[in-house]
Amino acid sequence: MHLKELRELLEKNRNPDNAIHMERYMKNKFKFFGIKTPERCKITSQFFKDSGLLNREFNTDFVLHLWQQEEREFQNIGLDYIDRSLKKISKGHFPLIQRLITSKSWWDTVDMLAQKPVGLIAKNHPEIINQTIEGWSNGENLWLRRTSILFQLKYKEDTDEQLLYRYIKENVDSKEFFIQKAIGWALREYSKTNPESVRQFINENNLAKLSIREGSKYI
């Protein structure tokens, strides 16, 4: 495993002043080395090049080890690795993605996982919707519910409108900020494809003010 080498690289670039601000921005839920995104991306790219990880099969253990680390940059690097490995990700990786969504959960990891690997797997294997995602929409886990609303975010004309609206309705009474925000975001994105449908849906359903405000931006 290349974790030791990666940690050494990140330690060399630790910035305690940045870390304070980054931890505050993330509500002090995670520790940080204090490495901002552009610099972290340079470090990550060099690490991937030197290690050759991207030239091999998708490494589940590597991602899980990153998720076990305390500093948030490790999870960000895990997302970078997943993003660069999307062509290698299959239906068999879905349990891993669900585990990542429900571990060290916050918007910065969940939203990328929802749009990219979950969205990709669900598009290529639509049976996963009935098998798994269906239970997320009305389940107890906040972040899985958010994912069920957001996984079609980039589908555009391929969006299953009835499914999107049903998942929104199942969560319409939620007082959770991250659910209300997800509803608005999903509607706003879909309104770029079908503004009349979204306008009608907003008018006919008792959505939270935040959801309406977010969802109405382009209509």
Side-chain angles (χ1 to χ4, degrees):
M1 196 56 62
H2 302 274
L3 200 60
K4 181 180 178 182
E5 295 94 321
L6 182 55
R7 178 172 283 282
E8 288 174 354
L9 283 172
L10 296 174
E11 286 285 2
K12 287 179 183 177
N13 292 274
R14 184 184 286 274
N15 186 318
D17 291 335
N18 284 347
I20 291 172
H21 296 293
M22 294 166 83
E23 288 166 12
R24 284 177 181 167
Y25 180 67
M26 297 297 283
K27 308 294 185 184
N28 293 307
K29 290 183 174 292
F30 310 102
K31 296 292 184 182
F32 280 84
F33 285 104
I35 303 172
K36 293 185 177 181
T37 300
E39 186 179 0
R40 189 197 75 236
C41 289
K42 290 180 182 178
I43 294 169
T44 304
S45 294
Q46 189 62 49
F47 169 74
F48 287 151
K49 182 179 178 181
D50 293 343
S51 66
L53 273 169
L54 296 177
N55 299 322
R56 304 173 198 156
E57 290 297 311
F58 184 76
N59 193 324
T60 297
D61 288 340
F62 175 63
V63 176
L64 289 174
H65 280 295
L66 291 174
W67 236 255
Q68 291 167 1
Q69 307 309 304
E70 184 178 32
E71 295 88 354
R72 194 59 165 174
E73 284 89 346
F74 282 112
Q75 286 90 65
N76 295 149
I77 291 170
L79 296 178
D80 292 339
Y81 177 67
I82 290 170
D83 189 27
R84 297 189 191 201
S85 305
L86 286 173
K87 291 182 179 179
K88 302 175 185 177
I89 290 178
S90 66
K91 183 180 176 181
H93 294 112
F94 207 70
L96 167 68
I97 303 302
Q98 178 169 340
R99 181 173 175 180
L100 300 181
I101 291 170
T102 56
S103 304
K104 299 194 174 178
S105 309
W106 201 239
W107 61 265
D108 61 325
T109 54
V110 171
D111 291 359
M112 182 277 185
L113 294 169
Q115 295 177 68
K116 293 200 172 181
V118 174
L120 177 68
I121 295 171
K123 180 171 280 191
N124 292 337
H125 304 277
E127 68 274 11
I128 205 77
I129 297 172
N130 285 331
Q131 291 172 355
T132 306
I133 298 176
E134 187 72 25
W136 292 359
S137 176
N138 51 25
E140 294 183 2
N141 187 281
L142 160 66
W143 300 105
L144 291 176
R145 284 192 282 126
R146 182 173 169 95
T147 299
S148 73
I149 295 167
L150 294 178
F151 84 93
Q152 296 191 84
L153 204 65
K154 302 303 181 184
Y155 281 21
K156 297 182 179 178
E157 64 275 0
D158 293 328
T159 299
D160 184 334
E161 180 181 289
Q162 289 186 338
L163 187 72
L164 172 64
Y165 289 166
R166 180 160 63 81
Y167 285 173
I168 289 175
K169 287 178 180 179
E170 289 176 358
N171 288 277
V172 74
D173 294 327
S174 175
K175 305 300 181 186
E176 288 281 359
F177 168 83
F178 287 109
I179 295 299
Q180 294 181 2
K181 187 83 170 180
I183 290 172
W185 187 11
L187 291 173
R188 183 176 77 235
E189 196 66 23
Y190 186 50
S191 75
K192 297 175 184 178
T193 300
N194 196 337
E196 286 303 320
S197 175
V198 172
R199 182 182 292 110
Q200 182 178 350
F201 181 81
I202 290 174
N203 289 337
E204 292 179 355
N205 290 275
N206 188 26
L207 304 179
K209 291 181 180 178
L210 173 60
S211 301
I212 296 172
R213 185 166 67 248
E214 292 291 325
S216 302
K217 283 188 175 179
Y218 298 135
I219 58 175

